[in-house]
């Protein structure tokens, strides 16, 4: 059996999942979510900004929150300094006189403790989180609030994109984040979300307290909270026009480090405390489709990457052996004529291409329906050529950490 | 039926249709590829027959058909490349590929014989290489040898290389192997009648050629 045969079930599943996303995107609930009307009600809202050594961005983050288009007497901003050792307290102090801003200082205990400290300090009906490296558009909160109209809705996520992408790696992440916008919008319409990201996710405070507040959640407290909400039978909605920009890793190494944390957090939560959700009909599409597919995606990402690397190296060694001793003027040039006859035809290539095209299409759709500004050309190019090479590296690292029980520091 | 169940079924349908289309397209393109090979082979077959006939008609001045013979050898080389590629894509056991290889081997033998006849009649000294290989997994150096011969054929356009799958079940080829007295120690070469076995490097292989043969082949004929 050729190595390619191993890949076919994964490619089939990838196309199936992308088709499912596309069909669901065209279904009534997802279309209705695009036309959600603004709420006449303005519940009290508190946005918590947990900070640990965020002196460079916390002021800008806070300013973007103060610029939110929302009644000032209903909006509270809680800056929580989680024992920073840099100038974060000084930056926070600039907002001390603002009546909307509350500043909390505490011993370092991790992001989940900072969030819980913020929740304990407010009586607002809705509490949100905004990472200190993220910035929101003024209309974002008005897009979030109407999504809480259903009493069963416990949380609402926003539409994230990368703040001023510069490097190719950041453009690649921007495309990936916009892909995430499409996925979140679609899966939220059938209650299939398993993460409420740090940048601008909101919760009903009463429900968060009922569920016991945020936990460490294997360094992914946002994922743990989302899984906890789903387990308790509540809904997680998405506000596709609530735009938030987040800073992203600039280098491949920083990106791999960040994503290793996310992926290990996912695996430890889903295979640990929340394994009861997998394959459980009670949790509908989340248990029967989304979580199993997410786990299989990790396996397939690693397997397809290793298979590709193995095949590439095998062919390279073979090509070098064959060409040994032959003048470079001949061996470095192709010698087949440019004819369709030599076009590499295989189901593996075609199905892989179909998967890529579907991904690019979903990214383009995400940009269109979320009205995300900016040019995506570089993002699509870098996503096409880099993502498949870089993503498996963090998948392998994360899987290795989970298998061998290795725990890494957050920063 | 719930919305999710309905969407799952639709997505499954789309995936099956798409996968089926891909499989059909791949098979269709492979069939077209084999059909193109067959068409090229038919064309060469006609040209071989034409050359053979031309050779007979011009019994008095057979050397007039040398140009045709040289062009034919080039076409055969191109067909060989395509056949090797198709074999890599469709597999060595593919019945159509095996059939085309048999026809190709017959054309090669025919061209080799005409070349020899022309050389005898016209007093030319073409350098011919008979190369016997196996792709049954029992010839680790065959790929290297094949690539080196491709290089030599490009570097010396008048060099005539004839490649044969030693294990091909074809009566004429078995007879040809017997006539040329080639053993099954592959890769095997017959360079202007001189036998050699195994392949180490291009430099060593070039030593098998008659002294000055590679240099003169570019200007001979």
């Amino acid at each position: 059996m050729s190595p390619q045969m191993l890949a076919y079930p994964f490619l089939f599943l990838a196309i199936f999942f992308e088709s499912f996303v596309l069909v669901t995107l065209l279904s009534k609930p997802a279309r209705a979510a695009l036309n959600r009307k603004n709420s006449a009600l303005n519940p009290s809202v508190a946005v918590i900004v947990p900070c640990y050594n965020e002196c460079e961005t916390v002021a800008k983050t806070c300013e973007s929150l103060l610029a939110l288009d929302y009644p000032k007497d209903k909006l509270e901003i809680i800056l929580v300094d989680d024992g920073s050792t840099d100038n974060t307290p000084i930056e926070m102090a600039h907002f001390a006189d603002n009546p909307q801003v509350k500043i909390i200082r505490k011993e370092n205990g991790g992001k989940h403790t900072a969030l819980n400290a913020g929740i304990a300090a407010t009586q607002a009906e809705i509490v949100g989180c905004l990472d200190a490296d993220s910035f929101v558009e003024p209309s974002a909160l008005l897009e979030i609030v109407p999504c809480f109209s259903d009493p069963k809705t416990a949380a609402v996520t926003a539409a994230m994109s990368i703040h001023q992408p510069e490097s190719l790696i950041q453009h690649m992440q921007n495309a990936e984040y916009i892909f995430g916008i499409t996925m979140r919008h679609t899966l939220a319409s059938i209650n299939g979300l398993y993460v409420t990201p740090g940048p601008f996710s909101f919760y009903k405070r009463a429900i968060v307290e009922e569920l016991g507040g945020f936990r460490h959640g294997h360094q992914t407290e946002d994922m743990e909270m989302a899984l906890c909400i789903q387990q308790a039978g509540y809904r997680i909605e998405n506000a596709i026009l609530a735009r938030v920009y987040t800073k992203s890793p600039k280098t491949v190494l920083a990106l791999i480090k960040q994503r290793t944390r996310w992926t290990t957090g996912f695996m430890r939560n889903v295979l640990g405390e929340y394994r009861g959700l997998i394959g459980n009909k009670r949790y509908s599409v989340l248990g029967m489709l989304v979580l199993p597919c997410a786990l299989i995606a990790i396996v397939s990402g690693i397997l397809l990457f290793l298979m590709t690397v193995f095949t590439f190296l095998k062919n390279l060694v073979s090509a070098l052996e064959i060409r040994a001793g032959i003048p470079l003027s001949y061996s470095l040039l192709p010698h087949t004529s440019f004819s369709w006859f030599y076009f590499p035809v295989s189901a593996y290539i075609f199905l892989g291409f179909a998967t890529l095209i579907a991904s690019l299409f979903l990214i383009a759709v995400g940009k269109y329906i979320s009205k995300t500004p900016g040019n995506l050309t570089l993002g699509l190019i870098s996503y096409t050529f880099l993502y498949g090479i870089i993503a498996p590296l963090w998948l392998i690292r994360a899987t290795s950490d989970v298998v061998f029980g290795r725990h890494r520091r957050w920063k | 039926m719930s919305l999710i169940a309905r969407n799952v079924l639709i997505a499954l349908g789309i995936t099956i249709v798409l996968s089926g289309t891909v499989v059909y397209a791949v098979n269709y393109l492979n069939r077209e590829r084999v059909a193109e090979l067959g068409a090229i082979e038919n064309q060469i077959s006609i040209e071989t027959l034409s050359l053979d006939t031309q050779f007979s008609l011009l019994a008095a001045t057979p050397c007039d058909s040398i140009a045709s013979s040289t062009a034919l050898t080039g076409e055969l080389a191109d067909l060989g490349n395509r056949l090797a590629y198709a074999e890599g894509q469709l597999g060595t056991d593919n019945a159509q590929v095996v059939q085309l290889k048999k026809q190709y081997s017959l054309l090669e033998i025919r061209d080799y014989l005409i070349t020899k006849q022309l050389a005898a009649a016209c007093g030319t000294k073409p350098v011919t290489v008979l190369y016997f290989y196996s792709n049954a997994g029992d010839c680790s150096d065959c790929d290297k040898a094949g690539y080196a011969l491709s290089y030599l054929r490009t570097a010396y356009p008048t060099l005539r290389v004839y490649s044969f799958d030693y294990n091909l079940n074809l009566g004429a080829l078995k007879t040809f192997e017997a006539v040329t007295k080639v053993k099954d120690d592959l890769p095997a070469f017959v360079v202007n009648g001189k036998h050699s076995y195994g392949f180490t490097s291009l430099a060593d292989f070039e030593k098998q050629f008659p002294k000055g043969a590679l240099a003169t082949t570019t200007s001979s004929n």
Side-chain angles (χ1 to χ4, degrees):
Chain A
M1 187 172 71
S2 76
Q4 285 187 355
M5 293 301 286
L6 278 175
Y8 286 126
F10 294 112
L11 285 172
F12 187 88
L13 194 66
I15 292 172
F16 163 73
F17 192 75
E18 287 181 328
S19 303
F20 176 78
V21 168
L22 195 61
V23 173
T24 306
L25 184 64
L26 296 171
S27 299
K28 197 175 172 184
R31 281 187 281 124
L34 286 176
N35 299 311
R36 200 180 273 126
K37 297 279 182 293
N38 278 359
S39 170
L41 298 173
N42 289 320
S44 56
V45 176
V47 184
I48 303 163
V49 185
C51 305
Y52 177 71
N53 292 346
E54 304 281 5
C55 67
E56 288 179 15
T57 52
V58 66
K60 200 177 169 191
T61 301
C62 190
E63 280 160 11
S64 84
L65 286 172
L66 289 169
L68 277 171
D69 185 9
Y70 204 75
K72 296 209 180 303
D73 59 326
K74 294 288 182 87
L75 176 62
E76 188 181 9
I77 294 155
I78 303 174
L79 305 178
V80 184
D81 174 20
D82 189 26
S84 295
T85 53
D86 65 355
N87 288 335
T88 301
I90 297 169
E91 292 296 325
M92 284 182 172
H94 293 144
F95 299 93
D97 295 335
N98 191 313
Q100 275 185 280
V101 179
K102 188 181 281 181
I103 298 173
I104 298 173
R105 293 202 180 87
K106 61 182 276 297
E107 289 287 310
N108 181 255
K111 188 177 168 186
H112 65 293
T113 62
L115 288 168
N116 288 335
I119 292 169
T122 184
Q123 289 301 310
E125 293 169 66
I126 308 290
V127 290
C129 169
L130 182 65
D131 289 344
D133 58 355
S134 305
F135 321 101
V136 290
E137 289 219 339
S139 63
L141 189 51
L142 285 178
E143 296 290 342
I144 293 276
V145 168
C147 301
F148 280 106
S149 58
D150 182 347
K152 292 297 284 180
T153 298
V156 177
T157 62
M160 287 182 293
S161 46
I162 298 294
H163 178 69
Q164 296 174 348
E166 290 169 358
S167 67
L168 263 186
I169 292 297
Q170 288 176 313
H171 280 285
M172 179 196 84
Q173 292 174 75
N174 196 34
E176 182 203 19
Y177 271 54
I178 294 173
F179 184 74
I181 289 176
T182 313
M183 296 299 278
R184 260 195 305 282
H185 170 72
T186 309
L187 295 180
S189 73
I190 48 175
N191 198 26
L193 293 185
Y194 61 85
V195 61
T196 44
F200 224 50
S201 285
F202 283 78
Y203 310 86
K204 282 180 181 157
R205 184 175 58 84
I207 294 178
V208 172
E209 287 177 345
E210 172 196 319
L211 297 175
F214 283 89
R215 282 171 282 275
H216 180 261
H218 308 285
Q219 293 185 324
T220 46
E221 76 300 320
D222 48 3
M223 200 176 289
E224 198 277 339
M225 176 52 79
L227 290 166
C228 189
I229 286 169
Q230 290 282 13
Q231 192 177 49
Y234 292 107
R235 287 186 64 87
I236 300 173
E237 277 290 351
N238 176 251
I240 195 165
L241 296 177
R243 188 156 305 114
V244 55
Y245 301 98
T246 188
K247 292 255 185 189
S248 63
K250 287 180 182 171
T251 64
V252 174
L253 282 179
L255 177 66
I256 289 174
K257 196 170 179 183
Q258 179 198 54
R259 298 311 174 86
T260 299
R261 179 170 63 79
W262 292 3
T263 312
T264 52
F266 169 75
M267 286 196 279
R268 284 178 173 139
N269 278 309
V270 171
L271 298 174
E273 296 90 327
Y274 296 97
R275 64 178 172 273
L277 271 64
I278 302 170
N280 191 333
K281 281 184 184 174
R282 191 177 153 211
Y283 301 104
S284 188
V285 73
L286 179 77
M288 299 302 290
L289 191 67
V290 177
L291 291 179
C293 281
L295 286 169
I296 291 170
I298 295 174
V299 177
S300 70
I302 294 172
L303 191 86
L304 292 178
F305 175 73
L306 293 179
M307 197 190 83
T308 305
V309 169
F310 171 76
T311 308
F312 174 77
L313 289 178
K314 191 171 150 229
N315 290 342
L316 182 68
V317 168
S318 170
L320 289 175
E321 275 180 4
I322 286 172
R323 284 162 175 75
I326 307 292
L328 292 178
S329 58
Y330 179 82
S331 58
L332 290 181
L333 296 173
H335 295 285
T336 50
S337 55
F338 288 101
S339 160
W340 78 270
F341 187 90
Y342 293 108
F343 185 73
V345 173
S346 78
Y348 177 73
I349 290 174
F350 279 3
L351 289 175
F353 190 67
T355 310
L356 175 67
I357 293 295
S359 299
L360 298 180
F361 178 71
L362 290 173
I363 291 170
V365 167
K367 179 173 164 54
Y368 177 74
I369 60 177
S370 67
K371 298 174 185 168
T372 300
N375 192 324
L376 247 186
T377 310
L378 262 182
L380 293 177
I381 293 170
S382 50
Y383 183 87
T384 301
F385 294 103
L386 296 179
Y387 196 76
I389 299 170
I390 298 172
L393 300 179
W394 72 67
L395 295 180
I396 291 169
R397 191 166 180 248
T399 305
S400 153
D401 283 359
V402 171
V403 170
F404 296 108
R406 186 171 178 184
H407 292 267
R408 297 177 193 270
R409 291 168 62 86
W410 183 299
K411 283 188 177 178
Chain B
M1 186 187 288
S2 73
L3 173 82
I4 293 166
R6 187 202 70 173
N7 288 357
V8 164
L9 286 178
I10 294 173
L12 199 59
I14 292 172
T15 311
I16 290 169
V17 168
L18 187 68
S19 303
T21 307
V22 163
V23 170
Y24 176 80
V26 168
N27 284 336
Y28 175 79
L29 287 171
N30 281 335
R31 278 200 309 272
E32 286 296 300
R33 209 185 325 245
V34 169
E36 184 168 320
L37 276 180
I40 295 170
E41 210 151 64
N42 282 339
Q43 182 61 33
I44 292 179
S45 180
I46 290 168
E47 287 177 23
T48 308
L49 193 59
S50 166
L51 181 65
D52 210 11
T53 311
Q54 196 179 359
F55 186 78
S56 302
L57 288 171
L58 298 172
T61 53
C63 304
D64 287 357
S65 48
I66 283 181
S68 305
S69 170
T70 304
L72 190 60
T73 306
E75 288 176 36
L76 264 175
D78 179 59
L79 176 63
N81 288 338
R82 286 171 187 259
L83 200 49
Y85 183 80
E87 192 174 20
Q89 289 282 309
L90 302 172
T92 51
D93 297 335
N94 184 284
Q96 287 170 297
V97 169
V98 170
Q99 189 64 20
L100 288 169
K101 272 178 78 174
K102 286 180 179 177
Q103 290 177 25
Y104 175 69
S105 298
L106 286 175
L107 289 174
E108 283 197 302
I109 294 171
R110 193 76 201 104
D111 186 64
Y112 172 70
L113 294 175
I114 290 174
T115 301
K116 275 186 76 173
Q117 286 174 319
L118 280 172
C122 308
T124 56
K125 291 180 181 174
V127 180
T128 58
V129 181
L130 303 180
Y131 164 48
F132 294 89
Y133 66 92
S134 165
N135 49 21
D138 53 352
C139 177
S140 57
D141 291 330
C142 281
D143 285 343
K144 282 199 293 192
Y147 192 79
L149 281 169
S150 296
Y151 160 70
L152 289 174
R153 193 153 51 191
T154 305
Y156 307 103
T158 53
L159 180 68
R160 294 178 179 236
V161 179
Y162 301 97
S163 307
F164 300 97
D165 183 345
Y166 192 86
N167 301 315
L168 199 62
N169 189 17
L170 177 68
L173 181 59
K174 293 297 162 201
T175 305
F176 189 61
E177 287 165 4
V179 168
T180 51
K181 295 176 183 156
V182 175
K183 292 184 287 184
D184 63 351
D185 181 13
L186 305 174
F189 309 91
V190 182
V191 181
N192 276 10
K194 187 182 165 193
H195 293 67
S196 65
Y197 297 91
F199 182 88
T200 50
S201 69
L202 176 67
D204 285 344
F205 183 61
E206 283 179 332
K207 290 175 189 163
Q208 308 294 327
F209 286 78
K211 202 168 183 182
L214 287 177
T216 55
T217 49
T218 52
S219 56
S220 67
N221 293 341

